Amino acid sequence: MEFDYDDEQDEQSRQELDETLRRFRESVRSGTWQNGSPTAESLEAIVLYCLETQVFEDAVVFGRMWTEKAPYSTDAWHKYGIALGSLQRWEEALTAYEEAARLDPVDVEITVNRAIALEQLGRLDEARPLVDAALHADPSNYDALFTKALILGKLGRTEEALRLFTFLAKQEGYERDSLFEAAICQENLENYSAAASIYDTIIEMDPFDSNAWFNKGVIMGKKGALRQSVDCYEMATMIKPDFVNAWFNMGNMLASLHRVVESITAYERAHAADATDIAVIHNLASSLEEAGRFEDAISRFSQVLEIDPAHTQAMYARGTCYDALEQWDKAVTDYEAALVLEPTYADLWYAKADALFNLRRVPESLAAYKKALELQPDDAECWFDYASSVLETGDVLEALRGFTECTRLQPMWAEGYFATAKTLCAAGQPNSAVPFLLTSFELEPQKRTEFELEFPMIAGPLGMEYLHAVITEHFKER
């Protein structure tokens, strides 16, 4: 939605106004006005010209000077507020609008702009009566109606907002913005096909509207049409090559499609457009890690940590990269640093336990596994690794307890039964191992091959003879 303002100029030509603006800028920089300070009339002309040409920073500078020169001018305060609002400086804009309203309490346009500022600031309870007052005074004021629709949307009255935006989309000058807002309403109502259809309408109106292509990409992603989502983001970036969010979202969709190399390219384009965006660098690093480029991933995760030293996920992920490179000391260092910030993060304790085990620091590893299981007691894989590590200490009973938890939590996971059988055989109880061994074979027939390879060293010749006999008899009966 655009602000309305009076853009009629004095009889000066555009070239003269450009020259006046240049001189005014130079005078502000130097602090010296060659012909004395400008008059209120000349400031009014230049502010209106700046608003018309969307040079809002200058509009603010000269708008403030205009209010100082003519403090009782309603128009000066109103246009100053419009300039501030155009730069999203809503608190200051509201102050200017309130001063304008104090000077002219019945001006509908000022009332509407006050409501817009309050709505942008989230002060909906204050904005609503102003909108209602403006519509009472002028029922055909579409700016007021648009603002009312925005307020209804923010209040969760989405269907009411949608009806108003649908109406406004048919009014000249309000088509595009109202269609965008109507699509957002449909998205909030999870009517994704309807939202996509609206974006198609906008694209028909302007095929080079990068925001419409971007928003349609978001909708297609929510619909699960990931390839079509990528196509939309590609169009957005063709139209606007430095569209960071479009490159970023494209990278996310490509990563979800397991097109990792392409996702890296998309994230790199996003990073080239904005080198300080942490989410972009983090996701680029994650894709590099998934591609097995661990050293490059470490470099990118380190960049994230340079910008945000408290970024726990980057510490964790860099640790997993060190883990993959078997640089376990560095991995532990990163995990411990992350745990200082998030001491209840179970996966971090689990990762630290694995790394400590690989360093043969078994007692510390067991303590970390126990902490992970204390925080996340239903993690079957963690129970498995804990039990496997406990075996290193010779505590067969505790290991069996761990493997029993595995089979309880994941009764269809063959590995838990197979490990239980191995532990019992190692403890000299092949007869007790049989039911677990047979269950593992039922769940995963290839375990029989692993059995022939691994159990001879564990069960010994007599144990294997017994196990072979029992297994053969079991399958013969079937």
Side-chain angles (χ1 to χ4, degrees):
M1 181 174 59
E2 296 181 357
F3 292 108
D4 291 330
Y5 52 83
D6 181 6
D7 61 355
E8 291 182 4
Q9 305 295 340
D10 294 336
E11 293 182 359
Q12 300 177 80
S13 68
R14 185 171 293 272
Q15 291 79 13
E16 289 173 333
L17 283 166
D18 281 335
E19 176 58 26
T20 301
L21 179 58
R22 187 196 64 75
R23 287 190 292 101
F24 276 23
R25 284 171 176 160
E26 182 57 37
S27 295
V28 168
R29 277 194 292 270
S30 66
T32 304
W33 295 84
Q34 293 181 352
N35 301 318
S37 62
T39 64
E41 290 75 14
S42 61
L43 287 166
E44 177 181 5
I46 211 67
V47 168
L48 292 176
Y49 180 62
C50 288
L51 289 173
E52 180 190 0
T53 55
Q54 299 186 9
V55 187
F56 299 122
E57 293 284 359
D58 285 335
V60 167
V61 171
F62 300 118
R64 182 173 59 249
M65 291 176 64
W66 184 13
T67 61
E68 291 168 355
K69 184 70 70 171
Y72 298 107
S73 168
T74 302
D75 212 29
W77 284 105
H78 189 200
K79 298 302 187 292
Y80 180 43
I82 290 171
L84 289 163
S86 298
L87 294 174
Q88 310 299 308
R89 292 165 60 176
W90 294 109
E91 288 282 3
E92 296 167 89
L94 179 60
T95 300
Y97 291 144
E98 286 176 342
E99 184 60 25
R102 185 183 67 81
L103 295 167
D104 187 351
V106 298
D107 187 295
V108 174
E109 188 180 350
I110 293 170
T111 302
V112 171
N113 283 343
R114 283 175 67 201
I116 290 170
L118 288 164
E119 179 268 327
Q120 289 290 320
L121 291 167
R123 293 162 61 178
L124 306 183
D125 289 340
E126 297 171 74
R128 287 177 66 187
L130 290 177
V131 166
D132 290 341
L135 287 169
H136 180 75
D138 180 7
S140 64
N141 189 306
Y142 293 150
D143 282 349
L145 199 61
F146 190 96
T147 304
K148 181 174 183 176
L150 288 175
I151 292 169
L152 289 170
K154 288 186 176 181
L155 290 171
R157 294 163 61 179
T158 310
E159 292 181 349
E160 295 174 72
L162 176 59
R163 284 194 291 273
L164 290 179
F165 286 128
T166 301
F167 167 77
L168 287 164
K170 299 171 185 174
Q171 312 309 314
E172 185 177 355
Y174 292 82
E175 299 93 338
R176 179 183 179 276
D177 289 340
S178 298
L179 284 170
F180 266 102
E181 294 298 337
I184 291 168
C185 288
Q186 295 285 18
E187 179 183 356
N188 291 338
L189 292 168
E190 300 185 3
N191 297 331
Y192 299 132
S193 295
S197 178
I198 293 173
Y199 288 125
D200 284 337
T201 300
I202 298 171
I203 290 165
E204 286 174 13
M205 292 165 56
D206 180 4
F208 298 99
D209 191 322
S210 59
N211 288 322
W213 283 109
F214 174 83
N215 286 13
K216 185 180 176 184
V218 173
I219 295 299
M220 300 315 290
K222 289 188 174 184
K223 288 183 69 176
L226 305 190
R227 290 176 179 79
Q228 289 174 265
S229 178
V230 170
D231 292 341
C232 291
Y233 293 133
E234 284 181 342
M235 284 299 301
T237 56
M238 286 174 63
I239 297 163
K240 185 179 178 182
D242 61 348
F243 199 155
V244 176
N245 289 341
W247 285 114
F248 177 70
N249 282 15
M250 189 195 306
N252 292 343
M253 292 297 104
L254 290 165
S256 297
L257 289 165
H258 306 292
R259 292 159 59 180
V260 180
V261 174
E262 292 171 87
S263 78
I264 290 169
T265 301
Y267 290 134
E268 285 175 338
R269 291 295 301 269
H271 182 57
D274 184 354
T276 63
D277 191 309
I278 289 178
V280 169
I281 305 170
H282 184 272
N283 285 20
L284 170 57
S286 296
S287 282
L288 288 166
E289 180 182 6
E290 189 174 349
R293 294 169 56 183
F294 299 114
E295 291 181 352
D296 291 335
I298 287 168
S299 175
R300 294 298 187 181
F301 284 128
S302 296
Q303 285 182 9
V304 172
L305 291 166
E306 285 174 10
I307 299 169
D308 179 6
H311 198 293
T312 309
Q313 286 298 326
M315 288 181 204
Y316 180 14
R318 188 173 68 176
T320 63
C321 291
Y322 283 129
D323 230 325
L325 294 171
E326 298 186 359
Q327 297 179 27
W328 295 306
D329 280 318
K330 290 182 179 179
V332 169
T333 299
D334 272 347
Y335 296 146
E336 288 179 339
L339 284 166
V340 170
L341 298 169
E342 291 196 38
T344 60
Y345 196 163
D347 286 346
L348 268 170
W349 284 105
Y350 187 3
K352 178 184 174 182
D354 282 346
L356 287 167
F357 182 81
N358 289 327
L359 289 167
R360 312 312 300 164
R361 292 160 60 180
V362 177
E364 295 170 81
S365 172
L366 292 177
Y369 281 128
K370 286 178 180 177
K371 184 64 178 179
L373 290 168
E374 176 188 319
L375 294 167
Q376 198 163 285
D378 294 337
D379 189 331
E381 289 187 18
C382 190
W383 276 109
F384 183 90
D385 287 343
Y386 167 68
S388 300
S389 301
V390 166
L391 276 178
E392 295 282 321
T393 69
D395 190 342
V396 173
L397 288 176
E398 180 63 11
L400 285 172
R401 187 177 79 86
F403 290 132
T404 299
E405 284 296 308
C406 288
T407 57
R408 182 183 69 82
L409 293 165
Q410 292 285 354
M412 303 304 291
W413 186 32
E415 199 62 48
Y417 298 100
F418 195 71
T420 302
K422 283 201 292 188
T423 304
L424 289 166
C425 282
Q429 300 179 43
N431 57 326
S432 299
V434 168
F436 297 99
L437 196 58
L438 292 175
T439 302
S440 74
F441 294 166
E442 294 283 351
L443 293 170
E444 196 174 315
Q446 58 266 41
K447 284 293 180 189
R448 292 191 70 171
T449 303
E450 292 181 38
F451 164 72
E452 297 295 347
L453 292 171
E454 298 177 18
F455 270 65
M457 293 291 293
I458 299 169
L462 290 176
M464 286 302 290
E465 183 179 348
Y466 169 76
L467 291 171
H468 275 135
V470 174
I471 292 167
T472 301
E473 184 64 26
H474 172 78
F475 285 102
K476 185 188 297 182
E477 290 175 358
R478 297 186 65 193

